[in-house]
Amino acid sequence: MARYPHKAGVYAIELIASDRIYIGSSTNVPGRWYQHRLHLKNGTHHCPKLQYAWTKYGADAFEWRILEELPRDCSKVEILAREQFYIDSLKPWFNVLPTAGSRLGSLDVEATKRLKSAARRSVTDLVTHCPRGHEYTPENTHLTKRNQRICRECARLRMAAKLATETPAQTSARLTRGRDYHERNREHHLETTAAYVATHKAEKREYDRIHRAEQNARRRTTMTDEKRARNAELQRARRARLKEFV
Ligand SMILES: [Zn+2]
C-alpha cells in the first residue's frame, strides 16, 4: 500500500495572507502536489504567476488544501466539471487558463502560447522595481535583446563601484581594450547600429540629442589644447597598434 493514499479531487494552492489561489484537479492529488512542488522548486512550473510568487515568497507562504474530495473511480470529465465549478466561482488569480483541464491537450498550442506569454507579461507588470528598489521607469530601464529589463541606476552604481577601485593603469588598459575592439569590429558595429536605429528611431534620436548636448557641454568646459594634442597622439598610437591586426 502506498504511504499516501491516492485521493481524487479538486485542490487549491493558496498564498497565505492574500486572496490569491491556484486551483487544479487530479485523480491523484498528493501525486500532483508532488509534481507541483518539484517544478516550483526547480523554477520550471508551467504557471508563471505561481512560479513568480513561489520564488518571491518561498514555500512556507503557501497552503495546500483539498477543496472537494471525489471518489477514486470518478471520470476525468466529472473531475474537470467540478474544477470548472470552482474556477468559475472562486476566480483563482494564479490560474493562467480560465478553462479547467486545458492542459490535457484540448486547447490548441498557439492559443496556449498566447495565454502563457500574456501571463508572463503580467508578471513583468507586477515587478515595478529592481531588486534594489529603483523603479523601472522608461528612462531607468534598459531592455536587452531578450526583453529582459536592466536597471540603469544599478548599472551606474556597478560602474561607479568598479571605477572607484580601479588603478590608473587598469583604467587606461580598459579604455584601450574598448577602443581597439570597436576599431577592429567597425563594420560590424556600423551594421548593428544601423539595424538598431531602424527599429528604435525615435528613442535613439532622443537619446543622441541628450547625450550629444551633454558631451558637447562637457567638451566646451574641459577641453584644452593640451588635451586635444594628447587625444591626437592617442589616436595615432591606436592606429599603429591596429596595423598588427590588418
Ligand atoms: Zn536598480
Side-chain angles (χ1 to χ4, degrees):
M1 201 186 137
R3 195 165 155 217
Y4 298 105
H6 287 191
K7 277 183 184 173
V10 183
Y11 59 87
I13 305 173
E14 190 179 340
L15 179 59
I16 303 165
S18 84
D19 54 358
R20 294 180 171 182
I21 57 172
Y22 176 93
I23 287 179
S25 67
S26 175
T27 50
N28 174 8
V29 173
R32 176 61 57 80
W33 280 354
Y34 174 77
Q35 290 176 348
H36 275 304
R37 283 204 194 88
L38 201 66
H39 281 296
L40 288 166
K41 222 160 45 186
N42 292 336
T44 54
H45 198 274
H46 73 271
C47 172
K49 283 178 171 182
L50 188 60
Q51 180 68 65
Y52 170 74
W54 182 275
T55 311
K56 183 168 180 185
Y57 300 110
D60 293 341
F62 289 87
E63 198 173 270
W64 305 68
R65 282 197 292 149
I66 293 186
L67 296 174
E68 184 176 338
E69 201 177 325
L70 296 163
R72 281 284 311 278
D73 56 355
C74 202
S75 77
K76 267 190 174 156
V77 176
E78 283 172 278
I79 294 183
L80 288 180
R82 291 312 292 159
E83 183 187 347
Q84 190 63 54
F85 166 77
Y86 284 100
I87 287 181
D88 289 342
S89 44
L90 297 176
K91 307 227 178 323
W93 191 84
F94 285 123
N95 287 61
V96 178
L97 305 165
T99 311
S102 334
R103 292 195 74 231
L104 294 177
S106 54
L107 203 83
D108 71 289
V109 178
E110 281 308 308
T112 313
K113 267 190 198 162
R114 276 200 301 280
L115 284 166
K116 277 192 170 185
S117 91
R120 209 168 292 130
R121 269 201 302 282
S122 68
V123 169
T124 308
D125 291 344
L126 284 175
V127 184
T128 56
H129 289 69
C130 84
R132 283 194 187 181
H134 310 120
E135 198 180 350
Y136 280 123
T137 58
E139 300 80 48
N140 193 37
T141 308
H142 170 72
L143 272 186
T144 66
K145 280 180 191 166
R146 288 173 166 191
N147 269 353
Q148 284 167 318
R149 294 178 303 181
I150 307 278
C151 170
R152 287 189 194 275
E153 186 58 33
C154 281
R156 267 194 288 277
L157 291 173
R158 271 197 301 276
M159 197 55 187
K162 195 177 169 186
L163 292 180
T165 56
E166 213 174 48
T167 63
Q170 281 172 327
T171 308
S172 95
R174 178 169 54 77
L175 294 177
T176 306
R177 216 166 35 236
R179 289 194 200 108
D180 285 0
Y181 177 81
H182 278 261
E183 288 289 341
R184 271 207 305 286
N185 298 285
R186 173 153 282 243
E187 262 171 47
H188 171 72
H189 279 290
L190 290 176
E191 266 168 40
T192 47
T193 308
Y196 182 84
V197 169
T199 50
H200 296 74
K201 231 167 204 156
E203 198 186 319
K204 180 83 166 68
R205 196 171 291 147
E206 180 64 9
Y207 179 89
D208 281 353
R209 194 181 62 75
I210 294 168
H211 284 259
R212 208 175 294 128
E214 272 180 13
Q215 213 168 33
N216 287 343
R218 212 167 31 236
R219 273 218 190 94
R220 268 197 298 282
T221 52
T222 59
M223 184 54 82
T224 57
D225 285 345
E226 210 173 301
K227 270 190 181 174
R228 206 168 279 126
R230 203 189 56 188
N231 282 349
E233 178 52 43
L234 281 173
Q235 201 165 13
R236 265 197 297 282
R238 182 157 72 246
R239 292 222 177 96
R241 263 201 314 284
L242 284 165
K243 279 188 182 151
E244 294 165 25
F245 295 106
V246 183

